[in-house]
Amino acid sequence: MEAHMWFSIFLACSTKQTSVQAIEQPTVETVKDHVLYAQLQKKLQEWSLQGKPDTITPDREQVMNDLALWIREKKLENETAELIFVCTHNSRRSHMSQLWAQAAAEYLNLPHVQTYSGGTEATAFNPRSVRALSTHGFIINDTKERVENPIYETKLGNNLPSIRSFSKKFGHKSNPKENFAAVMVCSDADTKCPFVPGADLRVAVPYIDPKLSDGTEQEAATYLAKSEEIGREMVWLMKRVTELLP
């Protein structure tokens, strides 16, 4: 009888300990939730839950769906999906698109996605764009390596590699040369570059240039709104990829 009692107690304690340990073990999803900076994580989660943005028209949806299918195929073929976002000066919209797309891919656990940006000419990563993205949670620091066309170190999270952000032509040595998708994010670049050498896929998803507000009272609000518009669309794009995967 006494032996039976002690055995029952042992089983109860063992079961309780196992249960506690199971609760305390973090899942992969829990770990992922803590990789991105908290403010970025919150925005990405919010936009992901809101579904397709109103800015995505039927025609735009078809183009973005073609891009999502291309990203999906790269995943199924165990290849990196490299995207170069292109606008004229690689100053505003292309940087916003690159950084939001990378953040969205990280949030939605698409590690095979790698994003880049470039222009048809090089100028500088516009400080208004830097401020807008920083306000939304990216950590962007000037490396002080040069005054003209500054090089910034952009971080999405403590455990993620930094991205060197600066203005460059889309054919710059830091960008992929073949088997990439060229995403034209301004009408001017779309018109000037009907063919992008080395691209597997070329699509156009143009955005209105926030530069139109430069020097006005609406400047800061316009850049924040453009950053949010692009961010929401990049989240929808990457979420669409996850929906297409088996």
Side-chain angles (χ1 to χ4, degrees):
M1 180 69 178
E2 185 175 278
H4 177 74
M5 179 183 70
W6 282 108
F7 181 71
S8 299
I9 293 172
F10 171 77
L11 281 179
C13 291
S14 298
T15 303
K16 182 178 180 181
Q17 184 179 15
T18 302
S19 177
V20 170
Q21 288 176 340
I23 292 172
E24 291 177 345
Q25 287 295 321
T27 63
V28 172
E29 290 75 17
T30 301
V31 172
K32 288 294 291 181
D33 284 346
H34 292 85
V35 170
L36 292 159
Y37 290 128
Q39 187 178 347
L40 268 180
Q41 176 82 15
K42 184 177 179 181
K43 276 291 182 188
L44 293 163
Q45 182 178 38
E46 174 189 330
W47 295 342
S48 178
L49 293 173
Q50 288 175 353
K52 186 175 73 174
D54 294 338
T55 54
I56 299 180
T57 63
D59 288 345
R60 194 175 184 86
E61 181 176 356
Q62 182 57 59
V63 172
M64 295 184 77
N65 197 60
D66 290 343
L67 180 56
L69 284 167
W70 181 86
I71 297 171
R72 169 190 178 271
E73 288 306 308
K74 289 293 183 180
K75 173 71 171 178
L76 296 179
E77 294 168 4
N78 293 316
E79 296 180 2
T80 302
E82 296 181 310
L83 289 74
I84 303 180
F85 292 90
V86 183
C87 67
T88 304
H89 300 114
N90 190 209
S91 179
R92 297 170 175 82
R93 292 161 288 178
S94 50
H95 282 291
M96 289 181 179
S97 300
Q98 175 194 0
L99 295 175
W100 277 119
Q102 194 65 62
E106 182 62 40
Y107 173 73
L108 290 162
N109 197 22
L110 295 170
H112 77 296
V113 174
Q114 185 66 48
T115 66
Y116 306 84
S117 67
T120 56
E121 56 187 89
T123 54
F125 188 178
N126 191 276
R128 300 171 184 86
S129 298
V130 173
R131 282 194 292 271
L133 290 163
S134 298
T135 300
H136 276 138
F138 293 91
I139 303 299
I140 307 177
N141 293 310
D142 190 344
T143 63
K144 307 295 184 183
E145 293 179 35
R146 61 192 187 196
V147 176
E148 293 185 6
N149 191 8
I151 298 174
Y152 297 90
E153 291 287 347
T154 302
K155 293 279 290 180
L156 282 63
N158 288 321
N159 301 318
L160 295 171
S162 61
I163 298 169
R164 285 174 67 82
S165 302
F166 60 97
S167 183
K168 69 196 84 64
K169 291 186 176 181
F170 64 80
H172 189 270
K173 62 182 180 181
S174 63
N175 287 343
K177 299 296 179 289
E178 58 183 13
N179 304 322
F180 60 89
V183 186
M184 320 306 285
V185 292
C186 81
S187 299
D188 184 63
D190 183 31
T191 302
K192 288 180 177 179
C193 299
F195 171 72
V196 179
D200 275 350
L201 176 72
R202 180 196 176 281
V203 297
V205 284
Y207 295 98
I208 295 173
D209 195 348
K211 180 182 180 179
L212 298 173
S213 69
D214 287 6
T216 71
E217 293 181 356
Q218 292 75 40
E219 180 182 280
T222 299
Y223 275 80
L224 278 173
K226 188 57 60 179
S227 175
E228 180 167 334
E229 176 189 348
I230 292 173
R232 287 176 182 273
E233 291 198 1
M234 292 303 112
V235 169
W236 183 85
L237 169 66
M238 295 305 168
K239 190 170 183 180
R240 184 70 184 121
V241 175
T242 66
E243 293 167 350
L244 291 168
L245 287 171

